[in-house]
Amino acid sequence: MKAFRNIGGNVVEVEIDVDLNGNPILPPDTTVDPRPEPQPGHYVTVVGNSWVQIPIPQEVISFEYKKQKRLEALSTYKNWYLDQPVTYNNIKFDADEKARIRLTQALVVYNETGYLPQAWVTADNTLFPLNSIDDLKGIINAVQTAFSTRFFEMEAIRQQIINADDDASLDAINIPTIPPQM
């Protein structure tokens, strides 16, 4: 006789034996009843000796988890954005953390010893001649202004995310994305 049996969470069709009176001998989690149609949002399985309707679990993502993911996306963009080159005298210069440190060191060396490097390396690794301390200060000013502006732009978005109190307000916050590299 054909029956349906729940084996490890999977319902399979199996052959079962019958007793002398023609009654099925049912192992655990087996039924001879026909498979019913599942109700909307449910699936059917065998529990005990009958079919049961089980609601399909819905993934629930907490609001705090969504906030955390948005903060992580912003952090990724911020790390990229803060390191983007800046322009001074129509020439691009590196503005990442190493460049900011080197520029500060060059200014300290100049203030202590009066030594001014002959040139500064641009973002495309060519040399930009430093004719005066004003050129070095101009590069430093461009880099520091860009860093400060970018930092506070990202901080404003971060505060919006932190202050969001529902899905709609969180979804309304625009988090920039890193443009594709060519």
Side-chain angles (χ1 to χ4, degrees):
M1 170 177 244
K2 294 274 186 197
F4 295 97
R5 182 167 187 196
N6 184 341
I7 301 175
N10 293 318
V11 177
V12 294
E13 195 169 333
V14 294
E15 284 286 330
I16 58 165
D17 293 327
V18 291
D19 64 14
L20 296 175
N21 296 327
N23 297 321
I25 302 172
L26 297 176
D29 295 327
T30 305
T31 185
V32 291
D33 298 335
R35 179 188 296 256
E37 283 297 315
Q39 298 170 357
H42 290 71
Y43 68 94
V44 292
T45 190
V46 177
V47 176
N49 291 52
S50 61
W51 289 100
V52 293
Q53 301 268 348
I54 308 269
I56 297 173
Q58 299 296 317
E59 181 178 28
V60 177
I61 299 173
S62 75
F63 178 69
E64 290 304 317
Y65 179 77
K66 290 177 188 177
K67 260 185 164 178
Q68 186 61 40
K69 293 310 265 179
R70 301 284 290 205
L71 287 168
E72 289 172 9
L74 180 65
S75 179
T76 299
Y77 179 79
K78 177 183 172 185
N79 291 338
W80 172 84
Y81 187 47
L82 291 177
D83 287 350
Q84 293 309 295
V86 299
T87 302
Y88 170 72
N89 280 355
N90 295 321
I91 299 172
K92 289 192 179 278
F93 291 91
D94 290 328
D96 59 3
E97 184 177 3
K98 287 182 182 178
R100 293 189 302 270
I101 291 169
R102 288 184 186 126
L103 286 163
T104 303
Q105 289 171 340
L107 186 60
V108 168
V109 167
Y110 176 80
N111 288 334
E112 294 295 318
T113 66
Y115 172 77
L116 180 66
Q118 294 178 350
W120 200 257
V121 177
T122 65
D124 64 358
N125 293 325
T126 60
L127 294 179
F128 174 78
L130 295 177
N131 298 320
S132 70
I133 187 63
D134 291 337
D135 286 333
L136 180 62
K137 287 181 179 179
I139 297 168
I140 292 170
N141 186 43
V143 168
Q144 294 298 353
T145 300
F147 176 80
S148 180
T149 303
R150 293 168 180 175
F151 178 84
F152 286 110
E153 284 176 30
M154 297 299 100
E155 184 59 22
I157 296 171
R158 187 173 95 61
Q159 285 304 316
Q160 289 176 348
I161 295 170
I162 289 171
N163 294 333
D165 54 3
D166 60 17
D167 284 336
S169 61
L170 187 61
D171 291 342
I173 300 168
N174 179 33
I175 298 177
T177 55
I178 298 171
Q181 302 298 323
M182 293 186 194

